Amino acid sequence: MNIELIFQIAGIGILTSIFHTVLKQAGKEEYSFIATLAGVSIALIMVIQLLADLLTKVKSVFFLS
Amino acid sequence: MEVLQVVGIGLIGTVLAVIVKERNKELAMLVSMVTGLAIFFFALGKISAVMDVLENLATRADINMFYLTTVLKIMGIAYIAEFGAQICRDAQENSTATKIEFAAKVLVMVLALPILVAILESILRLIP
């Protein structure tokens, strides 16, 4: 089981929220949006790899060709 | 006491998702999704052991493997579809969740159709 991934993604979430706040305070609204988008994409790549693992395992257990 | 591990993972995931949700809704959804994936992986290991026993029993009882694999495939489709639909529902996408469930039901029906045909043919053979 990979519980570390939960902590990693929560960490990414907190970190991007800090970036968002700092960039907003500095008056760079457009960069703050891009920072959030980057955080979501990185987390999504990690989650999708895990999801692919799950689907291959389900396929092998339940004989879904 | 493996249930304690599952409950622990669930509670930790929930707390982290609630913390992240205030600031970033998309990442909170991903956190809850990974929590669900971790628990699902855990359950899948146990299910595979049960499936091995079922397969063994079916081969011993000389049951046609086609029927057993059909039942198992239907179970797999139900598990995956339920998982996806729950994630969609968590993100307040009820319409997508309903469509996933609809498609899963259609796929289950397609898989069950050969069994239905076999039953009907055997009934027709009984009628003189």
Side-chain angles (χ1 to χ4, degrees):
Chain A
M1 268 191 293
N2 24 26
I3 312 160
E4 300 91 16
L5 203 60
I6 302 175
F7 294 113
Q8 277 178 14
I9 290 173
I12 290 173
I14 294 166
L15 216 62
T16 48
S17 80
I18 292 167
F19 279 145
H20 187 86
T21 320
V22 168
L23 287 170
K24 214 174 199 175
Q25 291 290 323
K28 306 264 185 193
E29 296 272 336
E30 63 277 15
Y31 288 120
S32 72
F33 172 69
I34 291 171
T36 311
L37 192 65
V40 172
S41 333
I42 292 167
L44 195 63
I45 288 168
M46 283 150 60
V47 172
I48 281 178
Q49 279 165 357
L50 193 67
L51 190 66
D53 279 1
L54 177 89
L55 290 187
T56 46
K57 203 173 175 195
V58 168
K59 266 188 197 170
S60 68
V61 169
F62 291 105
F63 302 103
L64 287 163
S65 54
Chain B
M1 294 301 269
E2 280 152 327
V3 68
L4 294 180
Q5 285 179 4
V6 172
V7 172
I9 293 171
L11 288 180
I12 290 168
T14 309
V15 170
L16 288 177
V18 169
I19 291 170
V20 177
K21 193 173 264 174
E22 290 176 13
R23 289 144 192 155
N24 204 335
K25 284 210 175 86
E26 306 91 337
L27 274 163
M29 192 204 122
L30 287 178
V31 169
S32 64
M33 192 169 153
V34 173
T35 313
L37 282 173
I39 294 173
F40 207 76
F41 260 115
F42 190 86
L44 210 59
K46 304 286 167 195
I47 290 175
S48 74
V50 176
M51 288 306 155
D52 285 345
V53 174
L54 272 182
E55 211 183 330
N56 193 7
L57 283 178
T59 45
R60 267 205 222 165
D62 261 350
I63 296 173
N64 191 351
M65 280 307 278
F66 172 72
Y67 297 121
L68 185 74
T69 49
T70 305
V71 172
L72 292 186
K73 275 180 188 172
I74 289 172
M75 275 175 72
I77 287 174
Y79 273 117
I80 297 176
E82 184 68 30
F83 181 76
Q86 290 289 351
I87 288 169
C88 291
R89 213 164 267 138
D90 273 354
Q92 269 87 45
E93 286 285 340
N94 278 313
S95 56
T96 315
T98 316
K99 273 154 207 156
I100 289 175
E101 281 170 351
F102 166 72
K105 278 170 194 163
V106 171
L107 289 175
V108 166
M109 208 163 72
V110 168
L111 276 181
L113 219 54
I115 296 181
L116 190 70
V117 170
I119 291 173
L120 287 180
E121 274 177 359
S122 55
I123 288 174
L124 280 179
R125 222 177 294 133
L126 288 176
I127 297 171

Short mmCIF file of all heavy atoms in Angstrom, two decimals, chain A residues 62-63, chain B residues 55 58-59 62-74 108-119 121:
data_model
loop_
_atom_site.label_atom_id
_atom_site.label_comp_id
_atom_site.label_asym_id
_atom_site.label_seq_id
_atom_site.Cartn_x
_atom_site.Cartn_y
_atom_site.Cartn_z
N PHE A 62 -10.20 -10.42 -11.80
CA PHE A 62 -11.57 -10.76 -12.22
C PHE A 62 -11.65 -11.29 -13.65
O PHE A 62 -12.72 -11.28 -14.24
CB PHE A 62 -12.48 -9.55 -12.06
CG PHE A 62 -12.74 -9.17 -10.64
CD1 PHE A 62 -12.14 -8.07 -10.08
CD2 PHE A 62 -13.58 -9.93 -9.86
CE1 PHE A 62 -12.36 -7.73 -8.77
CE2 PHE A 62 -13.81 -9.59 -8.55
CZ PHE A 62 -13.21 -8.49 -8.01
N PHE A 63 -10.52 -11.71 -14.23
CA PHE A 63 -10.50 -12.30 -15.57
C PHE A 63 -11.08 -11.36 -16.63
O PHE A 63 -11.64 -11.81 -17.63
CB PHE A 63 -11.30 -13.61 -15.62
CG PHE A 63 -10.80 -14.64 -14.67
CD1 PHE A 63 -11.46 -14.89 -13.49
CD2 PHE A 63 -9.66 -15.35 -14.95
CE1 PHE A 63 -10.99 -15.84 -12.60
CE2 PHE A 63 -9.19 -16.31 -14.07
CZ PHE A 63 -9.87 -16.55 -12.89
N GLU B 55 -12.18 -20.52 -7.76
CA GLU B 55 -11.76 -21.16 -9.01
C GLU B 55 -11.43 -22.63 -8.78
O GLU B 55 -11.81 -23.51 -9.54
CB GLU B 55 -10.53 -20.41 -9.53
CG GLU B 55 -10.40 -20.38 -11.03
CD GLU B 55 -9.12 -19.69 -11.42
OE1 GLU B 55 -8.68 -18.79 -10.68
OE2 GLU B 55 -8.56 -20.05 -12.46
N ALA B 58 -14.56 -24.60 -8.34
CA ALA B 58 -15.28 -24.77 -9.60
C ALA B 58 -14.62 -25.85 -10.45
O ALA B 58 -15.31 -26.66 -11.08
CB ALA B 58 -15.32 -23.45 -10.35
N THR B 59 -13.28 -25.88 -10.47
CA THR B 59 -12.62 -26.92 -11.26
C THR B 59 -12.86 -28.30 -10.64
O THR B 59 -13.02 -29.28 -11.36
CB THR B 59 -11.11 -26.66 -11.37
OG1 THR B 59 -10.63 -26.29 -10.09
CG2 THR B 59 -10.82 -25.57 -12.35
N ASP B 62 -16.28 -29.60 -11.52
CA ASP B 62 -16.49 -29.75 -12.97
C ASP B 62 -17.53 -28.78 -13.51
O ASP B 62 -18.30 -29.13 -14.41
CB ASP B 62 -16.91 -31.18 -13.31
CG ASP B 62 -15.70 -31.95 -13.81
OD1 ASP B 62 -14.67 -31.30 -14.04
OD2 ASP B 62 -15.79 -33.18 -13.95
N ILE B 63 -17.56 -27.55 -12.96
CA ILE B 63 -18.46 -26.54 -13.51
C ILE B 63 -17.77 -25.93 -14.72
O ILE B 63 -16.55 -25.75 -14.73
CB ILE B 63 -18.75 -25.44 -12.46
CG1 ILE B 63 -19.51 -26.06 -11.29
CG2 ILE B 63 -19.53 -24.30 -13.05
CD1 ILE B 63 -19.70 -25.11 -10.14
N ASN B 64 -18.55 -25.63 -15.74
CA ASN B 64 -18.01 -24.98 -16.93
C ASN B 64 -17.38 -23.64 -16.53
O ASN B 64 -18.04 -22.80 -15.93
CB ASN B 64 -19.14 -24.77 -17.94
CG ASN B 64 -18.62 -24.34 -19.28
OD1 ASN B 64 -17.44 -24.04 -19.42
ND2 ASN B 64 -19.50 -24.32 -20.26
N MET B 65 -16.09 -23.45 -16.87
CA MET B 65 -15.39 -22.24 -16.42
C MET B 65 -15.98 -20.97 -17.02
O MET B 65 -15.83 -19.88 -16.49
CB MET B 65 -13.90 -22.32 -16.78
CG MET B 65 -13.10 -23.17 -15.83
SD MET B 65 -13.31 -22.66 -14.12
CE MET B 65 -12.18 -21.31 -14.04
N PHE B 66 -16.69 -21.15 -18.16
CA PHE B 66 -17.26 -19.98 -18.82
C PHE B 66 -18.23 -19.24 -17.89
O PHE B 66 -18.22 -18.02 -17.80
CB PHE B 66 -18.01 -20.44 -20.09
CG PHE B 66 -18.79 -19.36 -20.74
CD1 PHE B 66 -18.14 -18.34 -21.42
CD2 PHE B 66 -20.17 -19.34 -20.67
CE1 PHE B 66 -18.87 -17.34 -22.02
CE2 PHE B 66 -20.89 -18.34 -21.26
CZ PHE B 66 -20.24 -17.34 -21.94
N TYR B 67 -19.05 -20.02 -17.14
CA TYR B 67 -20.03 -19.38 -16.26
C TYR B 67 -19.35 -18.67 -15.10
O TYR B 67 -19.71 -17.55 -14.74
CB TYR B 67 -21.02 -20.43 -15.75
CG TYR B 67 -21.82 -21.05 -16.85
CD1 TYR B 67 -21.79 -22.41 -17.08
CD2 TYR B 67 -22.57 -20.25 -17.68
CE1 TYR B 67 -22.51 -22.97 -18.11
CE2 TYR B 67 -23.30 -20.79 -18.72
CZ TYR B 67 -23.27 -22.15 -18.93
OH TYR B 67 -23.97 -22.69 -19.96
N LEU B 68 -18.33 -19.33 -14.53
CA LEU B 68 -17.63 -18.71 -13.39
C LEU B 68 -16.95 -17.42 -13.81
O LEU B 68 -17.06 -16.39 -13.14
CB LEU B 68 -16.61 -19.68 -12.81
CG LEU B 68 -15.95 -19.16 -11.54
CD1 LEU B 68 -16.92 -19.24 -10.38
CD2 LEU B 68 -14.69 -19.91 -11.22
N THR B 69 -16.24 -17.46 -14.96
CA THR B 69 -15.54 -16.24 -15.38
C THR B 69 -16.54 -15.12 -15.69
O THR B 69 -16.25 -13.96 -15.45
CB THR B 69 -14.66 -16.48 -16.62
OG1 THR B 69 -15.42 -17.17 -17.59
CG2 THR B 69 -13.45 -17.29 -16.26
N THR B 70 -17.73 -15.50 -16.21
CA THR B 70 -18.74 -14.46 -16.47
C THR B 70 -19.15 -13.78 -15.18
O THR B 70 -19.22 -12.55 -15.09
CB THR B 70 -19.96 -15.07 -17.16
OG1 THR B 70 -19.54 -15.76 -18.31
CG2 THR B 70 -20.96 -14.01 -17.53
N VAL B 71 -19.41 -14.59 -14.13
CA VAL B 71 -19.81 -14.02 -12.84
C VAL B 71 -18.71 -13.13 -12.28
O VAL B 71 -18.96 -12.02 -11.79
CB VAL B 71 -20.18 -15.15 -11.85
CG1 VAL B 71 -20.41 -14.58 -10.48
CG2 VAL B 71 -21.40 -15.88 -12.32
N LEU B 72 -17.46 -13.61 -12.40
CA LEU B 72 -16.35 -12.82 -11.87
C LEU B 72 -16.18 -11.52 -12.64
O LEU B 72 -15.92 -10.46 -12.06
CB LEU B 72 -15.05 -13.64 -11.92
CG LEU B 72 -15.00 -14.84 -10.99
CD1 LEU B 72 -13.63 -15.46 -11.01
CD2 LEU B 72 -15.34 -14.44 -9.57
N LYS B 73 -16.34 -11.61 -13.98
CA LYS B 73 -16.23 -10.38 -14.78
C LYS B 73 -17.30 -9.37 -14.36
O LYS B 73 -17.03 -8.17 -14.26
CB LYS B 73 -16.42 -10.71 -16.26
CG LYS B 73 -15.16 -11.15 -16.95
CD LYS B 73 -15.46 -11.45 -18.40
CE LYS B 73 -14.27 -12.08 -19.06
NZ LYS B 73 -14.58 -12.56 -20.41
N ILE B 74 -18.52 -9.87 -14.11
CA ILE B 74 -19.59 -8.96 -13.69
C ILE B 74 -19.24 -8.30 -12.36
O ILE B 74 -19.44 -7.10 -12.17
CB ILE B 74 -20.93 -9.74 -13.62
CG1 ILE B 74 -21.40 -10.07 -15.03
CG2 ILE B 74 -21.99 -8.92 -12.90
CD1 ILE B 74 -22.59 -10.98 -15.06
N VAL B 108 -22.85 -5.19 -18.03
CA VAL B 108 -23.19 -6.40 -17.28
C VAL B 108 -24.25 -7.19 -18.03
O VAL B 108 -24.19 -8.42 -18.13
CB VAL B 108 -23.65 -6.02 -15.86
CG1 VAL B 108 -24.33 -7.19 -15.20
CG2 VAL B 108 -22.48 -5.57 -15.03
N MET B 109 -25.23 -6.46 -18.60
CA MET B 109 -26.30 -7.14 -19.33
C MET B 109 -25.73 -7.86 -20.54
O MET B 109 -26.12 -9.01 -20.84
CB MET B 109 -27.33 -6.11 -19.77
CG MET B 109 -28.72 -6.66 -19.92
SD MET B 109 -29.89 -5.34 -19.96
CE MET B 109 -29.59 -4.63 -21.56
N VAL B 110 -24.78 -7.21 -21.24
CA VAL B 110 -24.16 -7.85 -22.41
C VAL B 110 -23.44 -9.13 -22.00
O VAL B 110 -23.50 -10.15 -22.70
CB VAL B 110 -23.18 -6.86 -23.09
CG1 VAL B 110 -22.31 -7.57 -24.10
CG2 VAL B 110 -23.95 -5.74 -23.76
N LEU B 111 -22.76 -9.08 -20.84
CA LEU B 111 -22.04 -10.28 -20.39
C LEU B 111 -23.00 -11.39 -19.97
O LEU B 111 -22.71 -12.57 -20.13
CB LEU B 111 -21.15 -9.93 -19.19
CG LEU B 111 -19.78 -9.36 -19.51
CD1 LEU B 111 -19.04 -9.09 -18.23
CD2 LEU B 111 -19.00 -10.32 -20.37
N ALA B 112 -24.18 -10.99 -19.41
CA ALA B 112 -25.11 -11.99 -18.89
C ALA B 112 -25.94 -12.61 -19.98
O ALA B 112 -26.56 -13.66 -19.77
CB ALA B 112 -26.01 -11.36 -17.84
N LEU B 113 -25.97 -11.99 -21.16
CA LEU B 113 -26.85 -12.45 -22.23
C LEU B 113 -26.59 -13.89 -22.66
O LEU B 113 -27.56 -14.66 -22.82
CB LEU B 113 -26.73 -11.49 -23.42
CG LEU B 113 -28.02 -11.18 -24.15
CD1 LEU B 113 -29.06 -10.69 -23.18
CD2 LEU B 113 -27.78 -10.14 -25.22
N PRO B 114 -25.32 -14.33 -22.84
CA PRO B 114 -25.10 -15.73 -23.25
C PRO B 114 -25.67 -16.73 -22.25
O PRO B 114 -26.19 -17.78 -22.65
CB PRO B 114 -23.58 -15.83 -23.32
CG PRO B 114 -23.11 -14.47 -23.53
CD PRO B 114 -24.07 -13.57 -22.85
N ILE B 115 -25.59 -16.40 -20.94
CA ILE B 115 -26.13 -17.32 -19.93
C ILE B 115 -27.65 -17.41 -20.08
O ILE B 115 -28.25 -18.49 -20.01
CB ILE B 115 -25.74 -16.85 -18.52
CG1 ILE B 115 -24.23 -16.91 -18.38
CG2 ILE B 115 -26.39 -17.71 -17.46
CD1 ILE B 115 -23.73 -16.49 -17.04
N LEU B 116 -28.28 -16.24 -20.29
CA LEU B 116 -29.73 -16.22 -20.46
C LEU B 116 -30.14 -17.07 -21.66
O LEU B 116 -31.09 -17.86 -21.60
CB LEU B 116 -30.19 -14.77 -20.65
CG LEU B 116 -31.69 -14.54 -20.61
CD1 LEU B 116 -32.21 -14.75 -19.21
CD2 LEU B 116 -32.02 -13.14 -21.09
N VAL B 117 -29.39 -16.93 -22.76
CA VAL B 117 -29.68 -17.70 -23.97
C VAL B 117 -29.53 -19.19 -23.69
O VAL B 117 -30.35 -20.01 -24.12
CB VAL B 117 -28.76 -17.25 -25.12
CG1 VAL B 117 -28.89 -18.19 -26.31
CG2 VAL B 117 -29.11 -15.84 -25.54
N ALA B 118 -28.50 -19.57 -22.93
CA ALA B 118 -28.27 -20.98 -22.61
C ALA B 118 -29.44 -21.54 -21.80
O ALA B 118 -29.92 -22.66 -22.06
CB ALA B 118 -26.97 -21.13 -21.83
N ILE B 119 -29.93 -20.73 -20.82
CA ILE B 119 -31.07 -21.18 -20.01
C ILE B 119 -32.29 -21.38 -20.90
O ILE B 119 -32.99 -22.39 -20.82
CB ILE B 119 -31.38 -20.15 -18.90
CG1 ILE B 119 -30.27 -20.16 -17.87
CG2 ILE B 119 -32.70 -20.47 -18.23
CD1 ILE B 119 -30.43 -19.07 -16.85
N GLU B 121 -32.43 -22.00 -24.07
CA GLU B 121 -32.26 -23.16 -24.96
C GLU B 121 -32.51 -24.46 -24.21
O GLU B 121 -33.14 -25.39 -24.74
CB GLU B 121 -30.87 -23.14 -25.57
CG GLU B 121 -30.82 -22.30 -26.84
CD GLU B 121 -29.44 -22.23 -27.40
OE1 GLU B 121 -28.52 -22.82 -26.79
OE2 GLU B 121 -29.25 -21.58 -28.44
#
